[in-house]
Amino acid sequence: MKFWFPVMRMPKKGGDWPLVSDMVAKNQRLLVFTSISSKQQSEGIAYQWNYMVENQCKIKISPTIKSFLFFTQTFLFLC
């Protein structure tokens, strides 16, 4: 929790995020999100869909590349 960026400081309605340098200066540089909406109120963990959007890929790629990209995205999200 030492580096945790508080939910109350996260931008609302498309507002701008602070600069990373500002987050580091305030020692609040860890962004934590959850897929369970109730945890935002109960535990102070940001509900992901209040702060993120899903980008749909519009280019044609092979199934092999698509599987690799999905695996990479999932791995990075879980880490």
Side-chain angles (χ1 to χ4, degrees):
M1 301 271 276
K2 179 179 178 181
F3 304 108
W4 200 313
F5 190 83
V7 174
M8 64 206 136
R9 291 198 52 227
M10 291 186 178
K12 304 283 190 264
K13 298 182 181 181
D16 291 331
W17 285 87
L19 298 173
V20 173
S21 59
D22 294 337
M23 293 167 71
V24 169
K26 291 181 179 175
N27 216 19
Q28 297 175 332
R29 57 186 174 266
L30 177 64
L31 299 173
V32 179
F33 298 92
T34 181
S35 60
I36 303 169
S37 62
S38 62
K39 286 191 173 191
Q40 182 164 320
Q41 188 67 25
S42 64
E43 299 178 34
I45 303 171
Y47 177 55
Q48 66 186 22
W49 297 117
N50 288 343
Y51 303 97
M52 300 178 195
V53 295
E54 187 172 2
N55 188 11
Q56 299 295 322
C57 183
K58 298 292 183 190
I59 59 173
K60 292 183 181 183
I61 55 176
S62 72
T64 304
I65 298 294
K66 193 171 188 176
S67 295
F68 172 76
L69 292 174
F70 176 78
F71 171 77
T72 304
Q73 177 186 3
T74 303
F75 177 77
L76 291 174
F77 180 73
L78 294 175
C79 291

